[in-house]
Amino acid sequence: MTSSPAVPAFTLVRPQGAPLDPSPLYTELRATQPISRVSLWEGQLSPWLVTRWEDARAVLGNPAFSTDPTHPGSPKDTPQGPRGFFVNHDDPVHGMMRRTLTREFMVKRINELRPAIARLTDELLTDLTELSEPADFVEHFALPLPSLVICELLGVPYEDHGFFQEHSKVIVDFNATAQESAQAWASLSEYLLGLVETKHAKPGNDVITRLAAQADEGGITDQDAADLGAFLLLAGHETTANMIALSTITLLSHPDQIPHILGGEEQVAGAVEELLRYVSIVHGGLRRTAVEDVTIDGVTIRAGEGVIVPIHVANRDPEFFTAPDDLDLERANARQHLAFGYGIHQCLGQPLARAELQIVLPEIFRRLPELKIAVPMDEIAFKQDTVVYGVVELPVTW
Ligand code: HEM
């Protein structure tokens, strides 16, 4: 079955000439039919697409919308779905799992990591400048930085990064088959289970050790500890790495705004929020299923129906953000973006992502004032088919 012309197919593709903007289809839908149907799985499913900022919050903040992909109407990537992440549980299971980690991501705890993040940034930038030009900014900086940080936090040996980066890539790839992504997830989870066992015997000062201790106390199982660790490992580097690369591209294409990223602490924090809004790397749409009838903005979503919330589209809503397609690093309400989601599943790692971006972005432009992209914009390969938007590589000179 193919999708009828009245119900457009859900797409991740952003426009070629404006690779940081959402698809024009969504911009038009937001203006004309802000809650409308899209088709998934070649027309077999027609979930709702909720595109306005206010409506997006109304869905994400309402417990009548479940993240559990085992609901028959769940708009998961493939009919076979589900993936075993803890974001895919509703309360009370979700709340129980989230509580095992809350302390690890408290702002105070993350702030203690700032000196280590600054040191790693410095070392990686030094190593980058010792390479011959042009060099790939993703391979040599944007990816290893968050990967090293999350390894330090979790207590995962960085030497294994080739293994877990390869599997993470498959898990976020929309083109991977259900079998391939299940296999990648199983490998990652098995690797973490081995690590949990090691930490029982040889504890360290890290998150996996503390999860292993919670398993000892009987609150969770070793497998839960491994799955939580695997999700953090995945979430901890795929996201921030792409955000560093895309923020760098964005700043290089708005050179007049670079001084804002070199400003004082508060100015940098505000600039990072605007970059999070403008770039909105999580562009696969947050997926929910209604468990009861809910009316939003005059549209009734029936129990059992799927909903996709493309937060990158809601983050460009002109009813909430003035001139939303302009980058304005001094935007007053930038912090109210939905780039980290909203409601009970709002990103747990956001203090870490913020700390990394606030340290890394100014340092890039301070250390490399002559930084340039070594190829024309239209030759940069964007990752169109992944839950998290990004670039495959970014050749730069400095
Ligand atoms: C710029 C970087 C990041 C962005 C844009 C981002 C975005 C998001 C979004 C949109 C969600 C909500 C998903 C939903 O509601 O369906 C989420 C959830 C989550 N993120 Fe992040 N994330 C980032 C970095 C991180 C990091 C560094 C970590 C941890 C190391 C992390 C861990 C998590 C976890 C555990 C959840 C699930 C929370 C829950 O279900 O309660 N994220 N993230």
Side-chain angles (χ1 to χ4, degrees), residues 12-25 27 312 382 384 389:
L12 289 182
V13 178
R14 301 208 198 189
Q16 241 230 308
L20 291 166
D21 290 349
S23 154
L25 166 70
T27 305
H312 66 302
F382 285 86
Q384 296 285 2
Y389 194 50

Side-chain angles (χ1 to χ4, degrees), residues 30 32 40 42 57 66 94 139 144 150 185-186 201 204 258 274 354 360 370 394 398:
R30 193 186 51 222
T32 55
L40 266 191
E42 319 234 307
R57 287 186 14 138
S66 163
H94 161 263
E139 183 189 343
I150 196 71
W185 176 249
I258 291 176
E274 172 66 352
R354 286 199 167 102
V360 161
E370 300 298 321
L394 184 63
W398 50 87

Side-chain angles (χ1 to χ4, degrees), residues 35-100:
I35 303 182
S36 53
R37 301 270 190 181
V38 279
S39 89
L40 266 191
W41 316 340
E42 319 234 307
Q44 293 173 58
L45 197 75
S46 308
W48 295 99
L49 189 81
V50 174
T51 46
R52 289 176 60 234
W53 179 88
E54 205 181 324
D55 298 342
R57 287 186 14 138
V59 171
L60 299 174
N62 187 338
F65 292 99
S66 163
T67 57
D68 182 350
T70 61
H71 290 296
S74 162
K76 47 197 180 260
D77 312 338
T78 61
Q80 293 77 17
R83 294 166 178 180
F85 305 148
F86 95 83
V87 65
N88 290 338
H89 289 279
D90 298 322
D91 280 345
V93 174
H94 161 263
M96 188 275 288
M97 291 191 185
R98 187 160 169 132
R99 275 191 296 280
T100 62

Side-chain angles (χ1 to χ4, degrees), residues 31-284:
T32 55
Q33 263 187 290
I35 303 182
S36 53
R37 301 270 190 181
V38 279
S39 89
L40 266 191
W41 316 340
E42 319 234 307
Q44 293 173 58
L45 197 75
S46 308
W48 295 99
L49 189 81
V50 174
T51 46
R52 289 176 60 234
W53 179 88
E54 205 181 324
D55 298 342
R57 287 186 14 138
V59 171
L60 299 174
N62 187 338
F65 292 99
S66 163
T67 57
D68 182 350
T70 61
H71 290 296
S74 162
K76 47 197 180 260
D77 312 338
T78 61
Q80 293 77 17
R83 294 166 178 180
F85 305 148
F86 95 83
V87 65
N88 290 338
H89 289 279
D90 298 322
D91 280 345
V93 174
H94 161 263
M96 188 275 288
M97 291 191 185
R98 187 160 169 132
R99 275 191 296 280
T100 62
L101 292 167
T102 319
R103 288 184 53 194
E104 303 293 348
F105 290 92
M106 281 179 353
V107 174
K108 188 170 167 284
R109 168 96 35 117
I110 294 302
N111 279 345
E112 289 165 11
L113 270 179
R114 281 180 179 258
I117 300 172
R119 174 179 48 80
L120 292 168
T121 304
D122 178 55
E123 286 169 10
L124 284 170
L125 286 175
T126 302
D127 293 351
L128 174 76
T129 51
E130 282 163 10
L131 297 171
S132 55
E133 299 178 62
D136 180 9
F137 191 70
V138 173
E139 183 189 343
H140 297 288
F141 185 77
L143 186 57
L145 189 274
S147 209
L148 281 158
V149 172
I150 196 71
C151 283
E152 184 143 332
L153 185 69
L154 295 183
V156 170
Y158 183 69
E159 305 86 86
D160 297 339
H161 70 279
F163 166 84
F164 56 73
Q165 280 167 6
E166 209 40 56
H167 289 301
S168 304
K169 234 190 260 168
V170 177
I171 294 171
V172 296
D173 186 352
F174 270 84
N175 289 324
T177 63
Q179 201 190 353
E180 283 164 344
S181 55
Q183 183 56 50
W185 176 249
S187 304
L188 208 55
S189 164
E190 191 186 330
Y191 167 77
L192 262 296
L193 190 58
L195 202 60
V196 169
E197 280 156 15
T198 309
K199 301 285 180 181
H200 280 307
K202 244 179 112 192
N205 179 16
D206 55 60
V207 174
I208 304 294
T209 295
R210 288 186 284 274
L211 284 172
Q214 293 195 44
D216 275 339
E217 289 158 15
I220 52 171
T221 62
D222 272 8
Q223 188 63 57
D224 291 335
D227 286 346
L228 288 167
F231 184 62
L232 291 178
L233 190 56
L234 171 76
H237 70 271
E238 269 295 331
T239 48
T240 315
N242 288 306
M243 192 57 210
I244 293 172
L246 292 186
S247 299
T248 304
I249 294 177
T250 303
L251 288 164
L252 288 173
S253 29
H254 295 81
D256 56 314
Q257 300 210 32
I258 291 176
H260 293 297
I261 203 75
L262 296 169
E265 233 172 75
E266 221 167 280
Q267 207 177 3
V268 170
V272 163
E273 296 309 312
E274 172 66 352
L275 285 162
L276 284 161
R277 179 197 74 85
Y278 184 82
V279 173
S280 283
I281 50 163
V282 175
H283 78 161

